[in-house]
Amino acid sequence: MEYDNIRPSDFEQGPIRPPSEARSLLLRVTRNCPWNRCTFCRTYKGTRFSLRDIGEVKADIDAMAEIAERIRQVSWRMGHGGLVNEEVVRGVHRSPEGSSLHVQSVLLWLYHGGKTVFLQDANSPVIKTSDLVEILQYLLSTFPSIQRITSYARSHTIARKSLEDLQALRAAGLNRIHIGLESGCDAVLAMVRKGVRAEDHVIAGLRVKAAGMELSEYVILGLGGRALWREHARDTARVLTRIDPHFIRVRTLAVPPAAELNRQVAAGEFQMMSDDEIVEEERLLVESLGEVHSHFVSDHILNLLEEVEGVLPGDRDRMLAVIDRYRALSDEQRRHYKVGRRTGRYRSLGDMENQAMHLEVERIRLRLEQLGSGWLENDLKVLMAGYI
Ligand code: SF4
């Protein structure tokens, strides 16, 4: 068999990556989150942060390189000259070790061009700059095809790194940082125990840009709850306007059962916003952004209006028009759209015009509503929780 000698080598992988890194190879540089106190987050609950030994990380890179080499050998034997195309992917899948997660992650990475890497876990730049530089250099010398290396980082950490440190990381190949800004409102940041102030976000964001890296800022819609939604939207817009990041990425708050925020919701200490209220908040956020030149991205399944996307400032009116189109729907049409969106049938308001899909979604909506008041909202919450 041409694909009978792919064997999995061991390397570690952490639990998450940003949605935009779906095609990236995941390289674990640290384990878990050194802060681990945000009330809305359960990703690393019950775990302890630890640094990984540089030798271990390099051994992971070697293991990935070994798998990549074996996959290329399969490609040569199948007559594809080292290229990893669909036929090679199918061939490797059929091999005895083709179901190994390690083999699959390297395989899909090569299939997508082998160009991007995401450093895990929650805050890789927290390690010594010289150590991260060494890892980046080793990674690039092992895989010269890599064009983009990205990492999550806390603003708290970046604000304590010098510009020279960040420039050294940029020179070594780290070219995009994803920051969980979540909010630009100090009251919200304190309430959710983010461990940073709005000013830290501004300092960190501007420093990342000054070092020549791309900057992606994540905002959580609904994080202020009913009590602070206006402040959350306006202050977040103000902070983002000062930073002017390359990307503003929004995702809607959904509270995992194990998160502290879930207890606060149950105790009545935090009031979750409805979908319609969050649409109002998003409108205020988009409207309040000043002269920014960011890609506004809504690439999370939890967002009701995924099509509120564009390049600012030019696309602002079009984005507001999408929001206003939703606001103009009747209550019944909104319920219909929410069912379609939360069940994964709809991606845009225009999808409601597809008659077959409309009928199918309407059947589901009516069935849920016949069960009595509260069923529809509860079911939509359950569906959202499944996407966290
Ligand atoms: S810093 Fe990020 S990973 Fe850590 S607890 Fe907060 S949201 Fe979760």
Side-chain angles (χ1 to χ4, degrees):
M1 301 275 270
E2 61 280 86
Y3 42 78
D4 62 0
N5 64 348
I6 301 279
R7 273 179 223 93
S9 306
D10 271 350
F11 56 83
E12 272 196 42
Q13 286 199 323
I16 59 164
R17 50 147 181 83
S20 57
E21 302 292 343
R23 295 177 170 189
S24 299
L25 187 64
L26 307 180
L27 177 66
R28 197 173 206 189
V29 172
T30 62
R31 296 186 188 95
N32 310 314
C33 173
W35 175 248
N36 212 4
R37 286 178 228 176
C38 302
T39 60
F40 56 87
C41 173
R42 60 99 209 251
T43 308
Y44 300 104
K45 286 289 169 272
T47 65
R48 188 174 292 176
F49 174 75
S50 64
L51 302 177
R52 293 192 71 208
D53 180 75
I54 300 188
E56 259 182 52
V57 179
K58 285 183 175 177
D60 279 4
I61 296 170
D62 291 341
M64 291 164 175
E66 192 189 319
I67 294 173
E69 181 49 33
R70 290 178 182 195
I71 291 169
R72 286 197 195 97
Q73 284 171 14
V74 169
S75 165
W76 277 102
R77 285 197 292 277
M78 290 176 78
H80 297 287
L83 185 76
V84 181
N85 55 21
E86 277 178 33
E87 225 173 295
V88 174
V89 169
R90 277 197 294 274
V92 173
H93 274 155
R94 285 196 299 270
S95 77
E97 309 299 350
S99 59
S100 144
L101 288 180
H102 295 117
V103 171
Q104 280 190 21
S105 52
V106 177
L107 177 67
L108 291 177
W109 179 62
L110 291 176
Y111 173 69
H112 289 299
K115 293 191 183 125
T116 60
V117 175
F118 175 69
L119 306 180
Q120 295 178 308
D121 280 335
N123 189 23
S124 307
V126 77
I127 72 173
K128 250 172 55 189
T129 298
S130 55
D131 287 352
L132 193 47
V133 165
E134 192 177 330
I135 291 169
L136 290 164
Q137 288 171 341
Y138 192 75
L139 179 63
L140 277 173
S141 65
T142 308
F143 293 109
S145 63
I146 294 171
Q147 294 173 0
R148 192 182 82 200
I149 305 176
T150 70
S151 173
Y152 275 136
R154 292 190 67 224
S155 286
H156 184 272
T157 299
I158 296 290
R160 279 153 188 78
K161 288 235 179 229
S162 67
L163 179 59
E164 291 71 30
D165 279 336
L166 294 180
Q167 284 168 332
L169 293 172
R170 173 68 189 89
L174 184 62
N175 40 18
R176 185 182 293 176
I177 295 284
H178 297 277
I179 289 184
L181 180 122
E182 329 298 10
S183 177
C185 171
D186 278 331
V188 175
L189 291 168
M191 176 177 74
V192 301
R193 293 210 296 269
K194 185 68 196 171
V196 292
R197 296 164 303 125
E199 197 56 28
D200 296 320
H201 279 321
V202 175
I203 292 167
L206 293 177
R207 202 165 292 163
V208 166
K209 283 176 60 189
M213 298 183 200
E214 285 189 322
L215 175 65
S216 189
E217 297 276 8
Y218 284 82
V219 173
I220 301 184
L221 300 174
L223 194 61
R226 287 203 171 120
L228 290 172
W229 74 270
R230 283 190 187 81
E231 292 86 338
H232 175 48
R234 289 200 184 108
D235 290 355
T236 300
R238 197 165 36 78
V239 164
L240 289 170
T241 302
R242 284 178 68 195
I243 300 172
D244 192 7
H246 299 85
F247 299 92
I248 298 169
R249 298 180 193 271
V250 293
R251 67 164 268 198
T252 302
L253 178 68
V255 187
E260 165 64 12
L261 188 55
N262 193 45
R263 188 203 59 74
Q264 292 172 344
V265 171
E269 295 162 19
F270 181 90
Q271 288 205 307
M272 294 284 291
M273 295 169 74
S274 69
D275 273 330
D276 290 357
E277 289 166 339
I278 286 176
V279 167
E280 295 303 313
E281 178 186 299
E282 187 170 20
R283 194 181 199 293
L284 183 57
L285 171 71
V286 173
E287 200 180 49
S288 309
L289 284 166
E291 191 63 16
V292 294
H293 305 85
S294 318
H295 289 257
F296 190 98
V297 185
S298 184
D299 60 352
H300 202 286
I301 185 95
L302 288 169
N303 296 338
L304 186 69
L305 299 175
E306 189 184 332
E307 62 196 304
V308 180
E309 289 206 322
V311 183
L312 294 163
D315 287 335
R316 187 198 312 262
D317 288 348
R318 189 183 52 72
M319 289 158 59
L320 290 174
V322 171
I323 295 175
D324 289 342
R325 191 174 160 202
Y326 175 81
R327 294 164 88 217
L329 296 176
S330 68
D331 283 352
E332 189 175 295
Q333 286 169 323
R334 288 185 195 193
R335 291 200 301 277
H336 173 93
Y337 177 73
K338 282 186 254 185
V339 170
R341 175 72 185 141
R342 299 305 182 204
T343 56
R345 267 103 176 150
Y346 290 160
R347 294 194 67 176
S348 70
L349 294 168
D351 287 343
M352 287 194 290
E353 284 152 28
N354 176 319
Q355 283 203 343
M357 238 184 327
H358 192 280
L359 269 175
E360 188 189 345
V361 171
E362 194 57 5
R363 268 199 295 270
I364 301 173
R365 178 182 79 82
L366 291 172
R367 212 167 49 233
L368 290 174
E369 292 192 345
Q370 274 162 10
L371 292 171
S373 70
W375 272 88
L376 181 65
E377 285 297 323
N378 283 338
D379 276 43
L380 293 178
K381 277 186 197 141
V382 170
L383 284 169
M384 282 181 78
Y387 293 135
I388 302 173

